[in-house]
Amino acid sequence: MIKHTVTFKLKYSKGSEEEGVFLKAATQLKTIPGIKNFECLHQISAKSHFEYALSMNFDSMETYNTYSEHPEHTAFVRKYWAAYVEDFLELDYELM
């Protein structure tokens, strides 16, 4: 199993219209086939400047790669991620 998590900070302030647009678009990623346990998370710790996270699981590296190349995912990255995200950290883990 692959655990894919990306933590990020938006260019826009909390409560802004842009924040809402981005988060609504991000949650639509869960409809892409192969995703399991999709979560959209809000940071509560002051120890990190990243405000949000998206987390999801995939059964295999093949399923993860299919997601990465899926037209809905690549369109989201082009339209929203590049324009709305200020900073991010991507973590991809495999269960031991």
Side-chain angles (χ1 to χ4, degrees), residues 3 5 8-10 12-13 16 18-21 23 27 31-32 40-41 58 60 63 65 68 74 78 80 82 89 96:
K3 177 85 168 173
T5 303
F8 56 95
K9 177 175 177 52
L10 294 176
Y12 305 99
S13 62
S16 67
E18 293 87 356
E19 175 199 49
V21 168
L23 295 175
T27 59
T31 64
I32 297 174
C40 185
L41 307 163
F58 299 92
S60 66
T63 309
N65 289 336
S68 291
T74 57
R78 276 192 314 274
Y80 296 102
L89 174 64
M96 296 174 51

Side-chain angles (χ1 to χ4, degrees), residues 16 19-21 23-24 40 59 66-67 70 76 79 96:
S16 67
E19 175 199 49
V21 168
L23 295 175
K24 182 177 180 181
C40 185
D59 285 336
T66 299
Y67 159 79
H70 193 279
F76 170 80
K79 183 174 181 178
M96 296 174 51

Side-chain angles (χ1 to χ4, degrees), residues 25-91:
T27 59
Q28 294 305 306
L29 292 171
K30 69 183 173 188
T31 64
I32 297 174
I35 293 176
K36 294 185 175 185
N37 303 321
F38 179 92
E39 297 175 308
C40 185
L41 307 163
H42 181 254
Q43 176 67 262
I44 60 169
S45 172
K47 296 177 185 177
S48 174
H49 76 283
F50 297 116
E51 300 167 328
Y52 305 96
L54 299 175
S55 181
M56 59 201 82
N57 298 335
F58 299 92
D59 285 336
S60 66
M61 196 64 197
E62 180 182 5
T63 309
Y64 171 74
N65 289 336
T66 299
Y67 159 79
S68 291
E69 298 167 6
H70 193 279
E72 289 177 44
H73 176 256
T74 57
F76 170 80
V77 170
R78 276 192 314 274
K79 183 174 181 178
Y80 296 102
W81 193 265
Y84 287 68
V85 174
E86 180 178 306
D87 191 15
F88 74 96
L89 174 64
E90 184 172 327
L91 303 168

